[in-house]
Each structure stands twice: as C-alpha cells, then as structure tokens.
Amino acid sequence: MQKLRKRKGAKVIVLMYHRIAQVNTDPWQLAVTPENFEQQLIVLKENFTVISVHELMNQLATKDIKSDAVCLTFDDAYSDNFVYAKPLLKKSACPATFFIPTYYINQKKQFWWDELEDIVLNSIELPETLSLPVNENTYTFKFEADDNILNCQKQEMQKKWTGQDSPPTERCKLYIELWQLLKPLPFDRIIRIMDEIKNWSRYAESNDELKFPMNLQQLQEINAQTLFEIGIHTETHPALAYHSSEVQQDEIVKSKEYLQKNCKKALDILAYPYGNYNNSTISVLKKQKIKAAFTTESKAVTGDSDIFQLGRFAVQNWNREEFEKKIYMWLKGI
C-alpha cells in the first residue's frame, strides 16, 4: 500500500532550456552560462534520476511514474547547445531532448527575435522616430530627449530588465511593443517588417555563429548520440494559436517530415513554440499521430497529466544552490 501511494503521488520535473551562453541582455531569461549549467548538471546527477523523454513516455503509458526523476529539454536548436551543452551533457551522462524549429537549420543567421533584441537594446544609436506599416495600420514610436542614444546607465538597466517587468528605458518599451506586434503575425510578414527595422536602424547582421541556430551537420551529430533525442518545434516557430488549422498543420507536418528525412530517430513529440496552442493545435497533433506535446506551463508531469499538455519548468541562470532549491520547491508543488 505504501508503494502504491508513492507511485500515485510520484511526479517528474521536466526542465526547459534554450541557450547555454553568456549574453548582454536577456529579457526572457532564456540563457544559462556554461559554468552555471555545469553546476546544475552536478545537482541533478547527485540528487535525482535523469531520464529521457522517451523513458518519460513509457512511464506515462504504463502510469508507472518514478519518483525524483528529472527530464531535460532544449528549445530552438541554438548552436551554443552543440558547443557548450552537448559536451557537458556527455560528461555527466545526462540524456536530453532537443526540439527543432526546422526552417532555421543551416540559415546562418539569428532568429528574428534575437535580431530585434540586438537592434533595439544594444545598438549605440537609433533614429529618433520609427514608423512601420502593419496590416491596415501604421505603428509609430518616437524617442524622447536622447533616449535613442545608449549610455552606460541605460545599458546596465537593460541588462537587468526582464520582459515581465515595467520597461526601465524607452528602448525596453520599444522592444516589448515590437515583439508583441510581430509574434502573432505570419512568418513572411514578420520577415518583411524585420527588414524594414534593419534598414531603419542601419543594422549590420551578426556573424557570431554561437548566436545562430545549428547547422545540419551539428544537428545530425547530436541525433547520432545515444544520449540525445530530437523532437518537433514546428517549421518557423509561430505562435500557433494565432493561426488557422491549415497553417498549424503545415508548420507541424513540414517540421516532422524534415526531421524524419534528416534525423532518423526523431521523436513524434512536439514542444509548442512560446507554449502557445489551442484546441485546433491538439486536433492537428492527433491527426498527424504526434504522440505527446510539451507546454511552457510550470507544472510537474504525473500519471494523470494530459499527454498533449505536459508541463515544463523554465530554467534560469541560477547557481548550484539556487537551482537545487528551485528543484525541490517544484517537487513539493510550491
């Protein structure tokens, strides 16, 4: 009876990472430094059982959830995952699953949201006024005084700022408004507007490959490792719920087909971009025989979890002590 009660209350903590890198600004708190990531892995190895997504699916299928288990996932396929995360995961023998937005593989350029961050938060000087045609309207933003010029004080405020907080500078305000404006749009429209923003700001695109998504060789090398698994993250990383069922299906099918062609052991499991989905999304997943899907909702996985609404906890740039405290809080449901 005691064992049965333990199984009934058992839960798995699924961790969500994005970047393993040192960054200047991080409004969505997506980056963990390699040093802190290594310490986080030590915490996991010393205190928990690290399982793969494949093993988690087996446990869910049998309703036999093991206690004190943790699962690692990475979204967006940043090159820094290959350069920094892969060797540290291998060193600690920790399995992990990488969810891939397939359009970006081999593109040799940053994601649009990272370019937007670079332009707005890190350019030394921007023009005083921005005017953008968006759908039937025109978006206009005018900097006050010298807010278009970046100084050390503003730089420090922007470095500490997160997107959940009130914008401490005019640049942060512009960034969050543009991000919210672009996120729900069709991909081709996002790219057209980003081209206008680049021209407005006279932006020189970065050639730092660590800021890029992986190339195909890197992706296939990760796929070839027995420790690692590859999953679906759509084709162009849309906020799915803003789009029609047809667009959602196209995004999911193209991503699935790309991975089936290039990564022979890819999983039929998806992570929702931005954690954004609706009932139509789930209908598409069932139609395409996708077995499960992960959200960005901070909740543990249990035997009663909805297979298409599995929770994950976003990991921030915590040191060893902070990270360990967070894991135990999540296990306790705090």
Side-chain angles (χ1 to χ4, degrees):
M1 182 64 73
Q2 185 177 3
K3 182 178 180 182
L4 194 61
R5 284 200 300 270
K6 182 181 178 184
R7 283 283 186 264
K8 187 176 180 180
K11 58 184 70 173
V12 174
I13 299 298
V14 182
L15 303 179
M16 176 179 63
Y17 290 91
H18 286 79
R19 300 202 63 187
I20 304 301
Q22 182 78 50
V23 296
N24 291 327
T25 52
D26 192 12
W28 306 115
Q29 298 177 288
L30 301 180
V32 177
T33 64
E35 295 76 18
N36 277 344
F37 181 60
E38 184 171 21
Q39 292 302 307
Q40 291 173 5
L41 291 178
I42 291 171
V43 169
L44 296 179
K45 288 296 288 185
E46 289 182 350
N47 299 280
F48 304 96
T49 302
V50 183
I51 63 172
S52 66
V53 165
H54 179 76
E55 171 59 24
L56 176 59
M57 293 302 113
N58 289 340
Q59 292 186 19
L60 285 170
T62 60
K63 303 291 185 183
D64 185 22
I65 303 296
K66 305 295 192 295
S67 297
D68 297 327
V70 175
C71 206
L72 278 70
T73 66
F74 290 79
D75 287 7
D76 298 345
Y78 281 96
S79 289
D80 56 54
N81 291 184
F82 179 85
V83 174
Y84 295 119
K86 179 175 73 74
L88 291 172
L89 289 164
K90 288 180 68 177
K91 178 183 175 182
S92 59
C94 285
T97 299
F98 298 82
F99 290 102
I100 315 298
T102 52
Y103 169 84
Y104 297 95
I105 300 302
N106 270 348
Q107 286 294 310
K108 297 182 179 180
K109 61 185 297 182
Q110 289 179 273
F111 292 106
W112 70 261
W113 54 85
D114 289 330
E115 287 190 321
L116 181 66
E117 181 183 331
D118 269 357
I119 292 167
V120 178
L121 299 185
N122 296 315
S123 296
I124 298 300
E125 185 172 355
L126 291 170
E128 292 182 1
T129 303
L130 171 64
S131 183
L132 290 172
V134 182
N135 297 331
E136 304 296 319
N137 304 307
T138 299
Y139 170 84
T140 303
F141 188 94
K142 183 173 176 59
F143 285 106
E144 300 295 331
D146 63 348
D147 286 330
N148 61 313
I149 300 171
L150 187 63
N151 58 33
C152 292
Q153 183 183 11
K154 293 172 189 170
Q155 205 167 25
E156 193 60 31
M157 286 191 289
Q158 289 171 183
K159 188 174 183 179
K160 296 176 181 177
W161 174 66
T162 71
Q164 289 80 25
D165 301 328
S166 297
T169 69
E170 286 291 293
R171 283 174 177 249
C172 292
K173 181 181 178 183
L174 175 59
Y175 168 79
I176 202 73
E177 288 183 4
L178 288 174
W179 185 86
Q180 290 172 341
L181 189 73
L182 293 175
K183 176 184 168 184
L185 297 179
F187 183 65
D188 60 344
R189 205 170 301 162
I190 292 174
I191 297 307
R192 285 201 301 271
I193 294 172
M194 280 301 303
D195 285 341
E196 294 192 41
I197 293 171
K198 290 177 194 178
N199 290 334
W200 165 76
S201 63
R202 299 180 293 276
Y203 176 65
E205 293 188 358
S206 173
N207 59 5
D208 183 354
E209 293 185 0
L210 283 177
K211 294 182 176 181
F212 299 168
M214 294 182 205
N215 59 44
L216 182 56
Q217 182 180 345
Q218 291 171 328
L219 176 60
Q220 290 179 327
E221 187 171 328
I222 280 182
N223 183 62
Q225 302 286 325
T226 55
L227 267 181
F228 305 138
E229 300 167 335
I230 301 297
I232 302 165
H233 203 38
T234 72
E235 184 182 34
T236 67
H237 199 282
L240 288 167
Y242 290 98
H243 302 281
S244 68
S245 294
E246 291 75 20
V247 169
Q248 294 191 44
Q249 178 163 293
D250 190 58
E251 282 281 344
I252 292 164
V253 168
K254 284 183 177 178
S255 181
K256 179 181 176 181
E257 289 176 347
Y258 179 97
L259 294 177
Q260 286 175 337
K261 177 183 176 182
N262 294 287
C263 302
K264 301 304 181 185
K265 63 184 182 75
L267 301 173
D268 285 334
I269 296 170
L270 177 137
Y272 301 112
Y274 308 103
N276 185 272
Y277 65 100
N278 57 16
N279 290 335
S280 295
T281 318
I282 295 174
S283 295
V284 169
L285 296 182
K286 291 177 179 178
K287 181 180 177 181
Q288 296 303 320
K289 296 181 169 53
I290 305 299
K291 296 174 182 175
F294 287 96
T295 71
T296 58
E297 298 166 54
S298 300
K299 58 184 182 182
V301 175
T302 70
D304 297 323
S305 293
D306 186 321
I307 200 72
F308 293 108
Q309 299 181 67
L310 299 172
R312 293 188 293 172
F313 294 89
V315 180
Q316 297 178 22
N317 190 33
W318 296 310
N319 62 31
R320 179 174 180 160
E321 291 75 21
E322 293 168 327
F323 178 69
E324 187 169 4
K325 182 179 178 181
K326 283 287 183 180
I327 292 280
Y328 282 111
M329 287 175 62
W330 294 335
L331 281 168
K332 293 176 181 177
I334 300 174

